[in-house]
Amino acid sequence: MQVRLPRKKQMKKRIFLAINISDKLKKEILKFRQKYKNLPVRWIAEENLHLTLLSPIDLDDNQIVEMIEKLQTLEGKVGQIKIKFNRISLGPNRW
């Protein structure tokens, strides 16, 4: 007979998945930002510019480990990504 102890409920963490962007793309974004500096937005610091692949979600530790393991299987298998932006829109006001 196997005895199962109740699992301690794990606290979820809010995470998002992002990748770094090239210096070339950063320069283009900074030009755009300068051109539209009067927009009612809070720009992030240049060193924090990134491309978000997955918007913030709540995951427990086991789910985070599982996601990391799956992502590690992609290492060395994904080449350069080319992206074309057709439009830029403001996100929700959270501040």
Side-chain angles (χ1 to χ4, degrees), residues 8 15 17 21 38 44 47 50 54 58 79 87 92:
K8 183 179 175 184
I15 65 142
L17 179 62
I21 59 175
N38 293 326
I44 64 171
E47 61 271 11
H50 61 271
L54 179 65
D58 296 322
R87 70 182 185 130

PDB file of all heavy atoms in Angstrom, residues 8 15 17 21 38 44 47 50 54 58 79 87 92:
ATOM      1  N   LYS A   8       2.166  20.194  -0.415  1.00  0.00           N
ATOM      2  CA  LYS A   8       2.106  21.583   0.020  1.00  0.00           C
ATOM      3  C   LYS A   8       1.779  22.438  -1.202  1.00  0.00           C
ATOM      4  O   LYS A   8       2.407  22.291  -2.252  1.00  0.00           O
ATOM      5  CB  LYS A   8       3.457  21.985   0.606  1.00  0.00           C
ATOM      6  CG  LYS A   8       3.487  23.385   1.144  1.00  0.00           C
ATOM      7  CD  LYS A   8       4.850  23.692   1.731  1.00  0.00           C
ATOM      8  CE  LYS A   8       4.916  25.126   2.164  1.00  0.00           C
ATOM      9  NZ  LYS A   8       6.245  25.478   2.653  1.00  0.00           N
ATOM     10  N   ILE A  15       5.622  35.034 -14.430  1.00  0.00           N
ATOM     11  CA  ILE A  15       6.798  35.031 -15.300  1.00  0.00           C
ATOM     12  C   ILE A  15       6.391  35.417 -16.721  1.00  0.00           C
ATOM     13  O   ILE A  15       5.223  35.369 -17.088  1.00  0.00           O
ATOM     14  CB  ILE A  15       7.507  33.659 -15.324  1.00  0.00           C
ATOM     15  CG1 ILE A  15       6.595  32.606 -15.961  1.00  0.00           C
ATOM     16  CG2 ILE A  15       7.899  33.215 -13.922  1.00  0.00           C
ATOM     17  CD1 ILE A  15       7.344  31.647 -16.810  1.00  0.00           C
ATOM     18  N   LEU A  17       8.271  35.203 -20.904  1.00  0.00           N
ATOM     19  CA  LEU A  17       9.365  34.652 -21.688  1.00  0.00           C
ATOM     20  C   LEU A  17       9.771  35.682 -22.730  1.00  0.00           C
ATOM     21  O   LEU A  17       8.925  36.188 -23.465  1.00  0.00           O
ATOM     22  CB  LEU A  17       8.914  33.357 -22.363  1.00  0.00           C
ATOM     23  CG  LEU A  17       9.925  32.638 -23.240  1.00  0.00           C
ATOM     24  CD1 LEU A  17      11.125  32.198 -22.412  1.00  0.00           C
ATOM     25  CD2 LEU A  17       9.284  31.446 -23.913  1.00  0.00           C
ATOM     26  N   ILE A  21      17.347  41.199 -28.147  1.00  0.00           N
ATOM     27  CA  ILE A  21      17.277  41.644 -29.542  1.00  0.00           C
ATOM     28  C   ILE A  21      18.640  42.164 -29.971  1.00  0.00           C
ATOM     29  O   ILE A  21      19.478  42.507 -29.138  1.00  0.00           O
ATOM     30  CB  ILE A  21      16.176  42.719 -29.745  1.00  0.00           C
ATOM     31  CG1 ILE A  21      16.425  43.934 -28.857  1.00  0.00           C
ATOM     32  CG2 ILE A  21      14.805  42.120 -29.472  1.00  0.00           C
ATOM     33  CD1 ILE A  21      15.456  45.067 -29.087  1.00  0.00           C
ATOM     34  N   ASN A  38       6.920  62.123 -27.309  1.00  0.00           N
ATOM     35  CA  ASN A  38       5.809  62.777 -26.628  1.00  0.00           C
ATOM     36  C   ASN A  38       4.600  61.865 -26.409  1.00  0.00           C
ATOM     37  O   ASN A  38       3.580  62.309 -25.882  1.00  0.00           O
ATOM     38  CB  ASN A  38       5.371  64.033 -27.392  1.00  0.00           C
ATOM     39  CG  ASN A  38       6.449  65.099 -27.356  1.00  0.00           C
ATOM     40  OD1 ASN A  38       7.163  65.233 -26.367  1.00  0.00           O
ATOM     41  ND2 ASN A  38       6.591  65.837 -28.434  1.00  0.00           N
ATOM     42  N   ILE A  44      10.912  51.702 -21.540  1.00  0.00           N
ATOM     43  CA  ILE A  44      11.846  50.948 -20.700  1.00  0.00           C
ATOM     44  C   ILE A  44      13.271  51.341 -21.072  1.00  0.00           C
ATOM     45  O   ILE A  44      13.534  51.865 -22.160  1.00  0.00           O
ATOM     46  CB  ILE A  44      11.645  49.418 -20.826  1.00  0.00           C
ATOM     47  CG1 ILE A  44      11.942  48.932 -22.234  1.00  0.00           C
ATOM     48  CG2 ILE A  44      10.260  49.023 -20.396  1.00  0.00           C
ATOM     49  CD1 ILE A  44      11.968  47.420 -22.345  1.00  0.00           C
ATOM     50  N   GLU A  47      18.890  49.129 -22.034  1.00  0.00           N
ATOM     51  CA  GLU A  47      19.506  47.832 -21.724  1.00  0.00           C
ATOM     52  C   GLU A  47      18.471  46.745 -21.417  1.00  0.00           C
ATOM     53  O   GLU A  47      18.799  45.564 -21.378  1.00  0.00           O
ATOM     54  CB  GLU A  47      20.506  47.951 -20.561  1.00  0.00           C
ATOM     55  CG  GLU A  47      19.916  48.421 -19.259  1.00  0.00           C
ATOM     56  CD  GLU A  47      19.897  49.939 -19.074  1.00  0.00           C
ATOM     57  OE1 GLU A  47      20.155  50.685 -20.035  1.00  0.00           O
ATOM     58  OE2 GLU A  47      19.591  50.375 -17.958  1.00  0.00           O
ATOM     59  N   HIS A  50      13.775  44.091 -25.198  1.00  0.00           N
ATOM     60  CA  HIS A  50      13.687  42.665 -25.481  1.00  0.00           C
ATOM     61  C   HIS A  50      12.437  42.416 -26.313  1.00  0.00           C
ATOM     62  O   HIS A  50      11.617  43.306 -26.513  1.00  0.00           O
ATOM     63  CB  HIS A  50      13.612  41.868 -24.175  1.00  0.00           C
ATOM     64  CG  HIS A  50      12.411  42.216 -23.358  1.00  0.00           C
ATOM     65  ND1 HIS A  50      12.431  43.243 -22.434  1.00  0.00           N
ATOM     66  CD2 HIS A  50      11.151  41.717 -23.347  1.00  0.00           C
ATOM     67  CE1 HIS A  50      11.228  43.342 -21.882  1.00  0.00           C
ATOM     68  NE2 HIS A  50      10.430  42.427 -22.424  1.00  0.00           N
ATOM     69  N   LEU A  54       6.100  35.419 -24.590  1.00  0.00           N
ATOM     70  CA  LEU A  54       4.974  34.937 -23.803  1.00  0.00           C
ATOM     71  C   LEU A  54       4.644  35.992 -22.761  1.00  0.00           C
ATOM     72  O   LEU A  54       5.483  36.321 -21.919  1.00  0.00           O
ATOM     73  CB  LEU A  54       5.338  33.611 -23.120  1.00  0.00           C
ATOM     74  CG  LEU A  54       4.293  32.966 -22.236  1.00  0.00           C
ATOM     75  CD1 LEU A  54       3.076  32.541 -23.065  1.00  0.00           C
ATOM     76  CD2 LEU A  54       4.880  31.761 -21.516  1.00  0.00           C
ATOM     77  N   ASP A  58       1.026  33.039 -14.606  1.00  0.00           N
ATOM     78  CA  ASP A  58       1.343  32.516 -13.281  1.00  0.00           C
ATOM     79  C   ASP A  58       1.671  31.034 -13.375  1.00  0.00           C
ATOM     80  O   ASP A  58       0.854  30.243 -13.865  1.00  0.00           O
ATOM     81  CB  ASP A  58       0.155  32.723 -12.335  1.00  0.00           C
ATOM     82  CG  ASP A  58      -0.146  34.190 -12.103  1.00  0.00           C
ATOM     83  OD1 ASP A  58       0.813  34.976 -12.004  1.00  0.00           O
ATOM     84  OD2 ASP A  58      -1.333  34.555 -12.024  1.00  0.00           O
ATOM     85  N   GLY A  79      17.564  29.103 -35.494  1.00  0.00           N
ATOM     86  CA  GLY A  79      18.463  30.072 -36.120  1.00  0.00           C
ATOM     87  C   GLY A  79      17.972  31.496 -35.932  1.00  0.00           C
ATOM     88  O   GLY A  79      17.155  31.786 -35.065  1.00  0.00           O
ATOM     89  N   ARG A  87       2.522  47.153 -37.482  1.00  0.00           N
ATOM     90  CA  ARG A  87       1.972  48.243 -36.683  1.00  0.00           C
ATOM     91  C   ARG A  87       2.504  48.155 -35.269  1.00  0.00           C
ATOM     92  O   ARG A  87       2.969  47.100 -34.823  1.00  0.00           O
ATOM     93  CB  ARG A  87       0.459  48.222 -36.681  1.00  0.00           C
ATOM     94  CG  ARG A  87      -0.122  47.077 -35.922  1.00  0.00           C
ATOM     95  CD  ARG A  87      -1.641  47.056 -35.967  1.00  0.00           C
ATOM     96  NE  ARG A  87      -2.073  45.971 -35.112  1.00  0.00           N
ATOM     97  CZ  ARG A  87      -2.985  46.089 -34.184  1.00  0.00           C
ATOM     98  NH1 ARG A  87      -3.617  47.220 -34.020  1.00  0.00           N
ATOM     99  NH2 ARG A  87      -3.302  45.074 -33.436  1.00  0.00           N
ATOM    100  N   PRO A  92      -1.848  47.920 -22.359  1.00  0.00           N
ATOM    101  CA  PRO A  92      -2.731  48.399 -21.280  1.00  0.00           C
ATOM    102  C   PRO A  92      -1.980  49.293 -20.309  1.00  0.00           C
ATOM    103  O   PRO A  92      -0.790  49.133 -20.098  1.00  0.00           O
ATOM    104  CB  PRO A  92      -3.182  47.101 -20.602  1.00  0.00           C
ATOM    105  CG  PRO A  92      -2.118  46.105 -20.921  1.00  0.00           C
ATOM    106  CD  PRO A  92      -1.575  46.496 -22.270  1.00  0.00           C
TER     107      PRO A  92
END
